[in-house]
Amino acid sequence: MIHSMTGFGKAVIQLENKKISIELKSLNSKNLDLNARMPNQYREKELILRNTIAKALTRGKIDFSLFTEVTGENSSSSINAPVVKKYIQELAEISNASESQLLEMAIRLPDTLKTEREEIDEAEFKIIENLLAEAIKEILNYRKTEGEVLENDFKLRIKSIRSLLEKVITIDPERIENVKIRLQKGVVELKEKYDENRFEQELVYYIEKFDITEEKVRLANHLDYFTENLASEESNGKKLGFISQEIGREINTIGSKSNYAPMQQLVVQMKDELEKIKEQLLNVL
């Protein structure tokens, strides 16, 4: 079962005097790229939260946000009266504004609010850890659902490449015969006498150079291996990426050796399906 790197998870809890929310957003990335936003009083616990997220989500560009909203009467912020009064006095010297206008201007200036540092207690942090676990569970379910969609798409495209390969196998004898006819026709048009035995030897050598038997076998094996890894218990997008590169190598070799328009058209279709697979693999965990 493969998992997508795209996902979203959210968990919210209402405490006696505050609401705490956690959000996790994830996009594709080669490695783990974790960005964290949280109030300053929780920074001392950031490393613990980061390690929990990294262990659960493994890879992806992840945005972690911890929000708090005071809903009770208690607040850690209060007006810094001496600073506000000083601002009003200074503004009055350079302005003819009324007292209410001066106050309105003053409270917009820096340091007019003073915030007392809140210490996070262990009971509250335990609540945050449980909340993070809920958000992680939600984003993992999201990734799993997205992964199922990707898996179905991969199966269809691998099936399409396999079908095209069967057509390649079907027309291969026709291709070889076509090569023989073209060579014989070319020799006849030279209007020169030639050694038939030597010609047969050269013909065999030429055809062997364009033989695609090994490529057909290897391509079929790579397709089987890709399908097998799709069904594995662990999601491994990097491994599937490596297999897709091997699939591409065999398709390209068949195309370069084919020397036959109908087969080259099939190769182009296989390449198109493979490119779509590679694009989607960027989203696989």
Side-chain angles (χ1 to χ4, degrees):
M1 174 67 70
I2 64 171
H3 290 73
S4 171
M5 274 188 279
T6 303
F8 178 79
K10 182 176 182 179
V12 181
I13 189 169
Q14 177 67 59
L15 302 180
E16 184 178 353
N17 62 349
K18 70 170 66 172
K19 183 170 75 171
I20 303 176
S21 305
I22 286 180
E23 288 185 2
L24 287 168
K25 298 177 183 177
S26 174
L27 296 173
N28 62 298
S29 177
K30 288 184 179 180
N31 302 299
L32 179 68
D33 181 8
L34 176 57
N35 177 51
R37 291 188 301 164
M38 63 182 70
N40 286 333
Q41 67 262 34
Y42 299 108
R43 287 292 175 184
E44 63 185 81
K45 301 291 188 179
E46 180 179 346
L47 185 59
I48 297 174
L49 298 175
R50 278 179 170 271
N51 288 339
T52 300
I53 295 168
K55 185 177 180 181
L57 302 186
T58 312
R59 283 177 63 205
K61 180 177 174 56
I62 299 162
D63 288 325
F64 162 62
S65 300
L66 171 61
F67 304 104
T68 60
E69 179 184 348
V70 176
T71 56
E73 295 181 356
N74 296 330
S75 175
S76 60
S77 298
S78 60
I79 295 175
N80 196 339
V83 172
V84 174
K85 288 179 180 179
K86 186 177 179 182
Y87 279 144
I88 291 175
Q89 290 173 358
E90 293 176 353
L91 287 167
E93 294 175 2
I94 61 173
S95 172
N96 294 324
S98 65
E99 289 186 7
S100 61
Q101 290 174 326
L102 290 173
L103 177 60
E104 187 177 345
M105 288 187 285
I107 61 176
R108 293 177 181 175
L109 297 172
D111 302 322
T112 55
L113 288 179
K114 57 182 179 181
T115 302
E116 297 178 5
R117 178 175 172 81
E118 288 186 0
E119 296 295 332
I120 179 173
D121 60 44
E122 290 305 316
E124 183 177 320
F125 183 63
K126 185 63 178 177
I127 291 172
I128 290 173
E129 285 188 304
N130 291 337
L131 206 60
L132 177 59
E134 288 182 33
I136 288 174
K137 183 178 180 181
E138 189 171 319
I139 195 173
L140 287 176
N141 286 334
Y142 194 114
R143 282 181 159 192
K144 181 181 178 182
T145 301
E146 289 290 305
E148 290 173 353
V149 175
L150 290 174
E151 183 175 344
N152 290 333
D153 185 68
F154 290 146
K155 286 178 178 177
L156 288 173
R157 299 199 183 281
I158 290 295
K159 183 179 179 181
S160 176
I161 294 175
R162 198 184 301 276
S163 175
L164 291 166
L165 175 59
E166 290 173 357
K167 292 179 181 178
V168 165
I169 294 171
T170 300
I171 68 171
D172 196 24
E174 176 186 315
R175 174 186 71 102
I176 296 299
E177 186 61 30
N178 184 269
V179 169
K180 288 180 180 180
I181 293 172
R182 289 208 323 261
L183 286 174
Q184 290 171 337
K185 184 179 178 181
V187 172
V188 170
E189 287 178 351
L190 289 174
K191 296 181 180 178
E192 295 284 342
K193 292 183 178 180
Y194 60 92
D195 186 332
E196 290 189 10
N197 290 331
R198 179 62 185 271
F199 175 75
E200 289 294 332
Q201 292 173 0
E202 293 293 333
L203 182 60
V204 169
Y205 171 76
Y206 184 79
I207 291 174
E208 283 180 350
K209 283 183 62 179
F210 289 90
D211 181 65
I212 59 171
T213 302
E214 291 184 8
E215 286 77 11
K216 291 184 293 187
V217 172
R218 284 198 295 264
L219 177 54
N221 289 338
H222 293 328
L223 295 174
D224 289 340
Y225 194 38
F226 190 97
T227 303
E228 178 184 325
N229 278 272
L230 273 182
S232 65
E233 293 183 3
E234 295 184 1
S235 179
N236 194 333
K238 289 184 177 180
K239 186 174 183 179
L240 290 172
F242 295 145
I243 300 171
S244 69
Q245 289 177 8
E246 294 302 315
I247 291 173
R249 186 172 288 111
E250 301 306 331
I251 291 174
N252 288 334
T253 305
I254 290 173
S256 63
K257 283 186 172 184
S258 65
N259 201 25
Y260 186 52
M263 186 175 289
Q264 288 171 335
Q265 291 171 3
L266 295 172
V267 167
V268 169
Q269 293 176 57
M270 284 193 281
K271 286 182 177 181
D272 183 54
E273 294 288 2
L274 182 62
E275 280 305 307
K276 291 173 182 175
I277 289 174
K278 287 182 176 181
E279 288 175 11
Q280 294 286 28
L281 278 175
L282 296 175
N283 293 319
V284 176
L285 182 65

